[in-house]
Amino acid sequence: MSDKPYPIQKSDADWRAQLDDMQYQVTRHAATERAFTGQYWDHWERGHYDCVCCGTRLFEAQTKFDAGCGWPSYWAPVNADVIERIEDRSHGMVRVEVRCQQCGAHLGHVFPDGPAPTGERFCINSAAIDFAPDA
Ligand SMILES: [Zn+2]
């Protein structure tokens, strides 16, 4: 993980205490949940999706689409400032990792093969986000 000083900082022990094991492994150690196993890949209610670590609102349900990949997919975050993009050269690929700007939580990756209007596909782990229905 990077050494960037995120606004929200917690000790490893505090993150472990706050999160369940899958949430912890995904957000703090960049693990990937297995496709079609997460809570939100086939979830279509109206509302928004927040960072499971710090509660920052990240994605709106209106930008969610079925990418057929088994992970929740969005064509845009709520705004560009909530997401950090980092080049990821792990696993013999060059990908762009996306993290929460507030707490550094690993969320997933962004790919340039999404639908209009952005042409981007944010491929996000269900374990990194919490759904909240619109009030
Ligand atoms: Zn966060």
Side-chain angles (χ1 to χ4, degrees):
M1 306 297 268
S2 83
D3 297 323
K4 184 175 189 260
Y6 294 100
I8 295 171
Q9 302 263 352
K10 290 189 184 185
S11 70
D12 187 63
D14 284 348
W15 287 125
R16 272 187 189 278
Q18 176 187 332
L19 303 167
D20 72 26
D21 189 56
M22 180 61 80
Q23 292 167 339
Y24 173 80
Q25 293 299 335
V26 167
T27 59
R28 297 294 137 191
H29 294 286
T32 300
E33 69 195 14
R34 287 194 302 125
F36 305 103
T37 64
Q39 193 175 357
Y40 298 129
W41 71 271
D42 193 23
H43 180 270
W44 304 103
E45 288 175 40
R46 294 166 57 92
H48 54 90
Y49 297 83
D50 305 336
C51 175
V52 76
C53 290
C54 73
T56 297
R57 188 185 290 212
L58 298 173
F59 299 99
E60 302 286 352
Q62 294 96 308
T63 65
K64 195 171 189 294
F65 68 99
D66 184 2
C69 62
W71 291 281
S73 302
Y74 308 84
W75 46 260
V78 293
N79 66 64
D81 293 341
V82 300
I83 296 284
E84 179 186 21
R85 300 175 184 233
I86 298 171
E87 186 177 273
D88 174 5
R89 292 183 169 271
S90 66
H91 304 293
M93 297 176 274
V94 180
R95 296 178 295 172
V96 179
E97 178 190 356
V98 290
R99 294 186 191 172
C100 172
Q101 278 277 22
Q102 287 300 306
C103 74
H106 171 80
L107 304 172
H109 291 84
V110 59
F111 300 95
D113 58 4
T118 62
E120 292 194 307
R121 170 171 62 96
F122 289 81
C123 181
I124 303 300
N125 289 280
S126 294
I129 50 180
D130 252 343
F131 174 76
D134 283 337

